[in-house]
Amino acid sequence: MCGTHASAQALSPAKISLRALFLGAAVSFVLAAPAAASTECVLGSKAAPAELISACSAIIDQTANSAVERSAALVVRAEANAQTLGGQSQALRDLDRAIALDGKNAKAWRVRGDLLREAGGDLNRAAADLTKAIELDPQDAEAYELRGVVYTNQRRLDRALADYDQAIKLKPDDAQAWSDRGVAYYLGGDNEKAIRNFDEALRLDPNRARTYTNRGAAYKKLGHLDKAVADDGEAIRLDPKVPEYYDNRGLTYAAMGEYDKAIADYDQAIRREQRANFLTNRGDSYQFKGELGAALSDYEAALKLDPNFAKTYNNRAVLYKKMGERKKALADYETALKLDPGNENAANGRRSMIAEIARFGAASPGPMHARSADDSGPSFKCATAKREVEKVICADPQLGVLDRQIAETYERVLRASKGRSASDLRKTQREFLTTRNASFRRPGYDLKKIMQDRLQRLNAMES
């Protein structure tokens, strides 16, 4: 990207829902509910959450039931509560009660640890709960796998890999463990091992969309861009609603220089969800294409969504430099560094911009200076340009040539026109300029193409 990628590919251990956790449990059990109940309080039940909550509550509220039975029912009810809107807090309260009633309930410790992770809570506490679950049941492969996910999120990759190894040893057909171990290898920089783990995960379960996109990220790191595009395409086919998959493929297309394809994928990602990194990535591709107005529009939209997204400031600074806006470029580099002090691209850009301003002043050399009589810049003086679209044209030699050609061709056609045809020509030229000035910053507006189309129409009139 411009100075740096606006976002890394969305590669993270796939979250495991509480329902999936129960369905994958090595041991399931049924707790007897009152005879009148039609739903049993059972792990992995297909019943609606409300029905499970009612069935389990009947067991929990019966103080005559043993502490072990009530604790087990609380775990099942926690799963049901976690599936309801705003039910995570109640689920955690149920798990706290389950552990208070039966401190040896390994499933309660495991489920609480995973719920803490999913809720974005204290990862150290989540790891402690999962460690307790493993102490109580050392044969529970899911507990190792889930603790590996917590360690991966903490970037404690050696510990994560050890847990994934143990999970796979206990349960060799666990596609999730293979996939998450691949993520840990990827984050550790061993992309070949990552790919081998993703391969095995997909052999065990070929319908894992996220594993495809994660393998695509590893292929991209190794320079196998065609394979990366193919994997992201398969992820999109399997789950077309996930915006990250389009964004990931867009990043790969951009790395290949296929900016139109990249923009089309970013469009799909943004259509599904407005995110600062998606807009920044699309802005980068517009910038590489030379469509500076569209790039600026995307960067500004990204910053409206997330005013603290450092990479957008860095990449917009690169754009401002192209546009001759040195002061704005310097300000953006400084903001990027304030938000991300370790950003080397922003630090280098800031040093470069300070040196340029000291040497040349705030005005840019080249196309941003007043046009000389014999150069091929735009038809207007760049030194006094005020509109953003004019500054974009001044910053791009190709657009500058197009602007001059349009102006000169228009003047020739106008001189050859009389009466109403001259009046109509003036009107169409005014409309062209008005539309250009108002629309050039809109996403998808291709300034270069619009100018080429206008020149082609004027050439046709002249001929």
Side-chain angles (χ1 to χ4, degrees), residues 1-6 280 283-288 292 295-296 299 310-334 336 343-350 352-353 356 364 395:
M1 291 297 149
C2 307
T4 182
H5 284 304
T280 301
D284 292 342
S285 282
Y286 277 130
Q287 186 173 170
F288 280 123
L292 306 188
L296 182 61
Y299 293 148
K311 291 178 182 177
T312 308
Y313 289 102
N314 179 86
N315 295 1
R316 190 174 67 173
V318 176
L319 176 66
Y320 277 141
K321 182 178 178 180
K322 290 179 181 178
M323 295 171 64
E325 298 280 1
R326 288 199 182 95
K327 286 186 177 179
K328 289 183 178 180
L330 178 59
D332 270 359
Y333 280 133
E334 289 179 340
N343 189 326
E344 291 185 8
N345 289 309
N348 292 334
R350 179 179 179 273
S352 172
M353 198 51 52
E356 284 193 27
S364 173

Side-chain angles (χ1 to χ4, degrees), residues 35-55:
S38 59
T39 300
E40 292 180 314
C41 180
V42 56
L43 292 175
S45 171
K46 301 293 186 182
E51 295 175 2
L52 269 176
I53 290 169
S54 177

Side-chain angles (χ1 to χ4, degrees), residues 152-298:
T152 301
N153 289 338
Q154 295 178 318
R155 294 301 189 269
R156 300 162 74 180
L157 299 181
D158 288 342
R159 291 192 175 192
L161 287 169
D163 272 354
Y164 295 138
D165 290 346
Q166 186 63 19
I168 290 169
K169 181 179 178 181
L170 291 168
K171 192 176 179 183
D173 62 349
D174 184 355
Q176 187 68 60
W178 285 95
S179 184
D180 286 346
R181 189 168 72 173
V183 170
Y185 278 125
Y186 172 90
L187 293 173
D190 195 336
N191 294 293
E192 292 181 351
K193 281 187 178 179
I195 289 169
R196 288 198 291 273
N197 276 265
F198 294 141
D199 287 345
E200 181 62 14
L202 291 170
R203 185 190 71 79
L204 292 166
D205 181 0
N207 294 315
R208 302 181 62 82
R210 188 163 294 277
T211 302
Y212 276 107
T213 203
N214 287 352
R215 189 175 69 176
Y219 276 135
K220 184 182 176 187
K221 287 283 188 181
L222 292 173
H224 303 318
L225 301 184
D226 289 341
K227 290 182 177 180
V229 165
D231 270 358
D232 285 324
E234 186 63 15
I236 290 167
R237 185 189 69 80
L238 289 167
D239 195 352
K241 295 181 180 179
V242 179
E244 290 91 346
Y245 301 160
Y246 296 94
D247 182 63
N248 287 350
R249 191 171 66 179
L251 286 167
T252 304
Y253 277 136
M256 298 168 73
E258 297 276 0
Y259 300 120
D260 287 332
K261 290 181 179 179
I263 289 167
D265 271 345
Y266 298 140
D267 288 345
Q268 291 293 331
I270 292 164
R271 189 171 294 122
R272 284 159 178 78
E273 186 174 348
Q274 292 270 326
R275 293 190 196 173
N277 62 314
F278 298 164
L279 286 158
T280 301
N281 289 341
R282 189 173 68 179
D284 292 342
S285 282
Y286 277 130
Q287 186 173 170
F288 280 123
K289 280 190 69 183
E291 296 177 26
L292 306 188
L296 182 61
S297 179
D298 272 352

Side-chain angles (χ1 to χ4, degrees), residues 37 72 88 104 122 145 172 183 218 282 297 417:
Q88 281 191 335
K104 294 183 178 180
D122 186 342
E145 205 282 327
V183 170
R282 189 173 68 179
S297 179
S417 302

